Amino acid sequence: MRTEDSMRYRLLSTLLITAALSGHPAVAEETPGSPRPTSPIPAYGAAPQTVNQTTQEYDPWMGFNRKIFWFNDQVDNYVLAPVATGWHTVAPQPMQNGIANFFSNLRFPVNLFNDLLQCKPVDGAKAVGRFTVNTVLGFGGFLDPASELGLKPHDEDFGQTLGVWGVPPGPYLVLPVLGASSVRDAPALAVDSAAAITPFFIDGWILVGARVVDVINTRAQFLKAVEDAKAASLDYYTFVRNAYLQRREALIQDRAEHVAPEGVPSYENEELYTVP
Amino acid sequence: MRTRNSTPCHERRAQALAVACALLIVGSIAPVAAEQSPREVVQSTSDQVLAVLAEKDLSKEARRDKVRTIVLRSVDFETLSRLVLARNWTRFSPAQQQEFMQEFQDHLAATYGRRLDDYRNEKVAIVGDRQEPNGDWTVRSKILRGGGSNDVEVDYRMRKSNGEWKVIDFIIEEISLVANFRSQFQDIVASGGPEKLLQLLKEKTAAGQEFKS
């Protein structure tokens, strides 16, 4: 959806960066989750020092990340959230859902691209089916009749693809405006932008406008969720970091219910559920 | 009990199923009073909660209190608290542990209780359950809000305590509450000790109370 010329270039350079960083003898394995000593109790020093994906996050740039996080929160508080709240008040919910569906439908090339890279031809075929059904029967994607036919939404992105290929998330990274990410997922955004097919005849300003509508409409769907998260957390930064990393891991493992209806894959997470 | 083409993976599952069935039969022969399965616990708890939410003439406060009581009956809050604090649990004195459990419970009740006021006749569907490697069960449910990505997935991690299956973790949209709070509390306890965490919890709940009305 963004300008493509620079994308191609960025794609190359970011791939190199990802390769370099992910090939690095896995940063996430030995270093403790935060610069501060998390465990001052020597009694447990004997326990295996495996870093748990869901409980201890690798965040070596926390100082920097917190600054960006604060900045993003200000932007959200003063610009995005108020605009989204206005939109949420004005626009009827079906309209908001329709717009969300519309943009979700346009993600189809990205989903297909990544389904194929992850060797999931069936999911790829479903993505094609969804796109066809929703575009034709769903008034250009504003409705989602495909879900009723059993073709549930299943978003993939290149960060997930890298995860499926075995690339660890690496250090947690907060991107300006874009928010929570990781050294694996951030460059992958550029790959997805390149994979998003944008018809050449659509004017650039329309794309920008569409992007703005998409962002505001998406934010409007999460007004209460963000409010809740802020109320529930003692440290909002850590809350978001943990939630992001857990969610990404679940997406990579396709653990979500609509993806694995039988719920077969389990949380192989002995440590989390062992009472010390 | 379906079994599929015999790939090794499915064979293992079939074996596991067979063992599970055998255990079930043995279990049913044993003269144990009708014991609720993890799934039944979740089902009956959500039925009770929805029944309370359907009562229109309750005040917000009364409704929250009722729901809290019902939910807590099927939660093993001590295990949940221990899992949240993990190895830091032993840094808390017994009195502090009790205080933590109380404060943490109040905090959760205050933050999640607020959402009860927005109840719009959503229904709950239990969509599956499975046994975990360590003997726990996970019951998967969905809060139905119009289908597709609008639905909210909530999984309950269950463990048997004193013969009853109780919830020890809530996994909302694949995000474990225990893991999330553990992560937040780790840094706080590491830098400020148990006292700091207890103090922050109290402040947060107090702020929430003001916010509420």
Side-chain angles (χ1 to χ4, degrees):
Chain A
M1 290 235 176
R2 280 160 238 151
T3 48
E4 276 132 70
D5 292 337
S6 63
M7 274 306 155
R8 296 289 138 77
Y9 170 72
R10 261 208 274 171
L11 164 66
L12 233 166
S13 58
T14 47
L15 272 178
L16 290 174
I17 295 167
T18 336
L21 284 164
S22 58
H24 209 265
V27 270
E29 236 108 272
E30 270 140 313
T31 345
S34 71
R36 270 180 268 157
T38 15
S39 159
I41 316 161
Y44 285 89
Q49 283 295 316
T50 46
V51 169
N52 193 308
Q53 214 60 265
T54 46
T55 54
Q56 221 174 1
E57 300 95 34
Y58 183 52
D59 188 6
W61 307 319
M62 185 159 71
F64 177 74
N65 280 340
R66 275 190 188 272
K67 287 196 183 94
I68 304 289
F69 188 80
W70 177 85
F71 169 78
N72 288 349
D73 198 39
Q74 296 300 100
V75 173
D76 185 55
N77 278 335
Y78 292 105
V79 185
L80 190 51
V83 175
T85 309
W87 171 244
H88 190 64
T89 331
V90 178
Q93 191 60 46
M95 185 175 174
Q96 294 180 42
N97 292 346
I99 290 171
N101 288 338
F102 174 76
F103 286 110
S104 159
N105 196 42
L106 290 184
R107 262 189 66 85
F108 142 76
V110 178
N111 291 336
L112 177 61
F113 172 73
N114 286 293
D115 280 331
L116 295 180
L117 288 180
Q118 294 175 27
C119 302
K120 294 173 186 160
V122 176
D123 285 347
K126 283 183 181 170
V128 176
R130 263 185 72 77
F131 179 73
T132 314
V133 169
N134 283 347
T135 307
V136 178
L137 301 177
F139 300 96
F142 282 93
L143 297 179
D144 182 13
S147 279
E148 263 118 273
L149 296 174
L151 295 166
K152 298 279 162 69
H154 179 186
D155 278 352
E156 294 286 0
D157 56 65
F158 194 63
Q160 289 185 53
T161 298
L162 290 173
V164 169
W165 292 351
V167 179
Y172 178 66
L173 192 62
V174 181
L175 299 173
V177 185
L178 297 174
S181 191
S182 67
V183 164
R184 176 192 62 206
D185 296 339
L189 290 173
V191 177
D192 288 329
S193 302
I197 300 164
T198 323
F200 65 93
F201 51 83
I202 293 181
D203 187 72
W205 285 109
I206 293 178
L207 293 179
V208 172
R211 186 92 200 150
V212 170
V213 172
D214 186 15
V215 167
I216 292 169
N217 189 64
T218 305
R219 181 66 184 86
Q221 312 309 307
F222 291 98
L223 287 170
K224 275 183 180 158
V226 171
E227 209 182 284
D228 280 352
K230 286 183 176 175
S233 54
L234 271 76
D235 181 354
Y236 186 45
Y237 172 85
T238 315
F239 176 101
V240 172
R241 182 181 70 193
N242 177 276
Y244 176 78
L245 294 173
Q246 280 200 59
R247 179 84 188 147
R248 291 299 292 173
E249 195 53 34
L251 287 174
I252 287 164
Q253 295 177 18
D254 280 347
R255 227 158 43 193
E257 188 275 328
H258 55 81
V259 181
E262 293 172 26
V264 178
S266 65
Y267 307 88
E268 299 287 348
N269 206 338
E270 296 286 326
E271 193 270 335
L272 179 62
Y273 292 114
T274 305
V275 175
Chain B
M1 305 292 127
R2 326 160 242 172
T3 46
R4 293 190 199 154
N5 299 340
S6 51
T7 61
C9 174
H10 287 127
E11 251 167 29
R12 265 207 308 274
R13 248 170 75 196
Q15 272 175 6
L17 267 176
V19 172
C21 290
L23 286 175
L24 267 176
I25 294 163
V26 173
S28 59
I29 292 167
V32 182
E35 176 191 277
Q36 282 192 312
S37 70
R39 197 181 177 124
E40 285 162 352
V41 172
V42 173
Q43 184 71 63
S44 76
T45 307
S46 60
D47 286 349
Q48 290 173 62
V49 170
L50 291 181
V52 171
L53 292 178
E55 288 179 43
K56 292 295 169 210
D57 46 350
L58 278 179
S59 75
K60 284 181 180 179
E61 305 303 313
R63 194 197 270 183
R64 283 184 199 181
D65 288 346
K66 271 194 165 183
V67 170
R68 182 177 178 170
T69 315
I70 294 167
V71 171
L72 280 177
R73 235 183 273 145
S74 40
V75 175
D76 180 352
F77 205 80
E78 182 174 333
T79 302
L80 189 148
S81 304
R82 281 170 176 260
L83 292 174
V84 164
L85 287 182
R87 46 188 155 187
N88 282 322
W89 177 259
T90 47
R91 286 186 70 180
F92 286 59
S93 72
Q96 283 174 323
Q97 289 170 355
Q98 291 303 319
E99 196 184 350
F100 171 76
M101 286 195 281
Q102 191 57 51
E103 292 298 334
F104 188 41
Q105 206 184 93
D106 288 347
H107 172 64
L108 293 177
T111 48
Y112 292 96
R114 292 198 307 149
R115 274 297 148 256
L116 295 178
D117 303 342
D118 301 327
Y119 178 69
R120 298 277 179 279
N121 290 314
E122 287 95 343
K123 296 279 174 279
V124 173
I126 293 181
V127 292
D129 56 357
R130 60 161 182 266
Q131 190 164 27
E132 300 293 354
N134 72 347
D136 290 349
W137 276 79
T138 298
V139 178
R140 320 197 78 191
S141 78
K142 257 198 213 178
I143 300 172
L144 304 172
R145 305 181 63 205
S149 47
N150 290 327
D151 294 346
V152 181
E153 292 168 26
V154 183
D155 293 0
Y156 303 88
R157 179 96 177 190
M158 318 277 289
R159 187 170 292 176
K160 209 171 199 172
S161 101
N162 299 326
E164 283 181 276
W165 287 99
K166 302 227 165 171
V167 177
I168 58 165
D169 192 11
F170 300 83
I171 300 126
I172 303 164
E173 292 282 311
E174 306 298 328
I175 296 164
S176 146
L177 179 134
V178 164
N180 191 287
F181 277 106
R182 182 189 285 192
S183 171
Q184 291 182 58
F185 292 173
Q186 249 164 9
D187 279 1
I188 296 169
V189 176
S191 62
E195 298 78 14
K196 177 79 178 170
L197 178 58
L198 291 171
Q199 180 206 333
L200 281 174
L201 271 172
K202 277 179 204 158
E203 284 172 8
K204 190 83 189 179
T205 309
Q209 297 291 349
E210 280 165 38
F211 189 76
K212 192 167 71 180
S213 51

